[in-house]
Amino acid sequence: MEKSLIYGGNYEGPSYQITTSVNNLQRLPRFGHDSDFTAVFSPYQDEQIDYAAGLISLFVFLLIIFIFWTVVIIVFKVMGPANAGFLSGHHFVVPDPADDEKDIYKRPLRVRVVFLVATALLMTFAFLFVVMGLTNVNNAATTMGKSLKTTDELLQNAELIASNLEKVGDKSGEIRDAAVAELDNLCPANPDIGDLVGMDIMGIADQAKSDLTMLENFISDGLEALNENLSLVRGFTSSADKATKAIVFWGWEMKLLVAGLFILPSFLAVGVGLVMLDVDVEPYQKALTYFFMPLFGMTIIACYIVCCAILPVSATSADACSGGGTV
């Protein structure tokens, strides 16, 4: 990590270096929409909508892939084993010894071994999904929450400064009005008081009056714009804080979903193991068919939605870490 020297001081602090993962996520396609995170703070609603549309496009793009995959599986299922073979997902039929005497035992073993390997891969990817996906996104949401809290404190300080400036503006107007009133009473019997003291008192007073009026107007106009922008930022941080609190990727629901990715395939693997050992437990096979398989299907659909949601959230975190704009 490189060092950055603060101008005018001797302190050297670490400068942030964008990691490869952040860089890759920030470069995810937005399908013609903006990926600049600073658009979120823009006073122009069109820029905010354009940035949000890019994130929604990521969600929809990944969801379309999952839907297409599901449709293909359903089509193979409808085609049946006669037209789609093993892709139809039809239950395995042990070949007739008269037709396949040589490979009668090899073929079922191969199919079952492939299924067990696929089950092991599913569990492995579920583990990686937790370690490299959910954990990182949850940490990003936590960090974002802390950043929003810091932003809220800065907004409070800015609002306090604005309040103090408003008092200064009011005081400058009061001082100007009081000074004008006093000047009218300054030696009214001697209009040439300036010649007497050797300085242009009235000119100085007029300049002070002009400066105080300018200060009051400057503070008034500046505070109006500042308060408007503070209100916009306050609204954004409030919405972002609600969204961050709503994004709980490690609540009991997610833990239940991840547990399903480990437990349900285990039941399926046990069913295959029983068949390989020539152990016929009919109630267990019926439970696999009518309970565990539908539950496993619903779990996969839930994973579709979670994965689609994690992608735009990860992209948003990467955009924020990159500081906005292209990397």
Side-chain angles (χ1 to χ4, degrees):
M1 186 175 290
E2 296 180 0
K3 300 289 185 178
S4 61
L5 180 64
I6 296 180
Y7 181 77
N10 296 322
Y11 172 77
E12 290 187 0
S15 60
Y16 174 71
Q17 298 295 313
I18 298 177
T19 62
T20 303
S21 58
V22 169
N23 194 9
N24 292 334
L25 285 171
Q26 204 271 339
R27 290 181 176 179
L28 285 173
R30 305 301 169 88
F31 305 95
H33 298 285
D34 195 6
S35 62
D36 189 349
F37 184 73
T38 57
V40 176
F41 301 95
S42 173
Y44 304 105
Q45 189 175 10
D46 292 342
E47 295 182 0
Q48 298 177 356
I49 294 176
D50 187 60
Y51 179 78
L55 298 177
I56 295 174
S57 299
L58 283 176
F59 178 91
V60 173
F61 172 72
L62 190 57
L63 184 62
I64 289 175
I65 294 178
F66 286 140
I67 292 176
F68 177 76
W69 181 19
T70 303
V71 169
V72 169
I73 293 176
I74 294 175
V75 170
F76 285 146
K77 185 70 175 178
V78 173
M79 291 174 63
N83 298 315
F86 71 93
L87 294 175
S88 65
H90 195 268
H91 65 275
F92 182 77
V93 179
V94 178
D96 190 337
D99 299 332
D100 196 3
E101 183 177 356
K102 181 178 180 181
D103 296 330
I104 185 173
Y105 297 110
K106 291 183 179 180
R107 186 181 176 196
L109 181 62
R110 292 170 184 168
V111 174
R112 291 159 184 163
V113 168
V114 169
F115 179 84
L116 293 176
V117 171
T119 302
L121 288 175
L122 174 60
M123 293 180 177
T124 301
F125 287 127
F127 175 76
L128 295 175
F129 175 64
V130 173
V131 175
M132 303 184 66
L134 293 178
T135 303
N136 290 335
V137 173
N138 189 63
N139 292 338
T142 302
T143 303
M144 184 68 73
K146 293 179 180 179
S147 300
L148 289 174
K149 184 178 180 180
T150 302
T151 303
D152 183 69
E153 294 175 355
L154 294 175
L155 286 175
Q156 291 179 0
N157 293 334
E159 290 169 350
L160 180 60
I161 293 173
S163 177
N164 292 334
L165 284 175
E166 184 178 8
K167 294 178 181 178
V168 171
D170 295 339
K171 284 293 182 181
S172 65
E174 294 176 3
I175 293 173
R176 178 201 60 199
D177 296 339
V180 170
E182 292 298 329
L183 285 173
D184 291 338
N185 298 324
L186 182 62
C187 299
N190 188 4
D192 299 327
I193 185 65
D195 297 334
L196 180 64
V197 298
M199 64 176 62
D200 187 6
I201 295 179
M202 300 307 295
I204 296 174
D206 290 338
Q207 183 63 43
K209 175 183 175 182
S210 176
D211 291 342
L212 289 171
T213 301
M214 185 181 300
L215 176 62
E216 182 184 20
N217 294 336
F218 172 76
I219 292 178
S220 177
D221 296 339
L223 282 179
E224 183 178 356
L226 177 61
N227 289 329
E228 182 179 354
N229 291 329
L230 286 176
S231 177
L232 290 174
V233 177
R234 174 71 71 181
F236 162 75
T237 54
S238 177
S239 301
D241 185 58
K242 292 179 181 178
T244 302
K245 291 179 179 178
I247 301 173
V248 182
F249 281 110
W250 201 230
W252 67 267
E253 302 93 341
M254 188 58 60
K255 292 178 181 178
L256 183 63
L257 177 63
V258 172
L261 293 176
F262 285 96
I263 296 174
L264 296 177
S266 300
F267 282 107
L268 301 178
V270 170
V272 173
L274 292 175
V275 174
M276 294 178 68
L277 296 173
D278 292 329
V279 178
D280 186 10
V281 184
E282 186 175 353
Y284 188 80
Q285 296 298 330
K286 288 184 177 180
L288 289 178
T289 303
Y290 299 108
F291 178 73
F292 289 109
M293 278 302 297
L295 188 59
F296 180 69
M298 290 187 291
T299 302
I300 295 300
I301 293 175
C303 287
Y304 286 177
I305 299 174
V306 171
C307 290
C308 292
I310 285 179
L311 187 61
V313 171
S314 301
T316 303
S317 300
D319 292 342
C321 291
S322 66
T326 56
V327 179

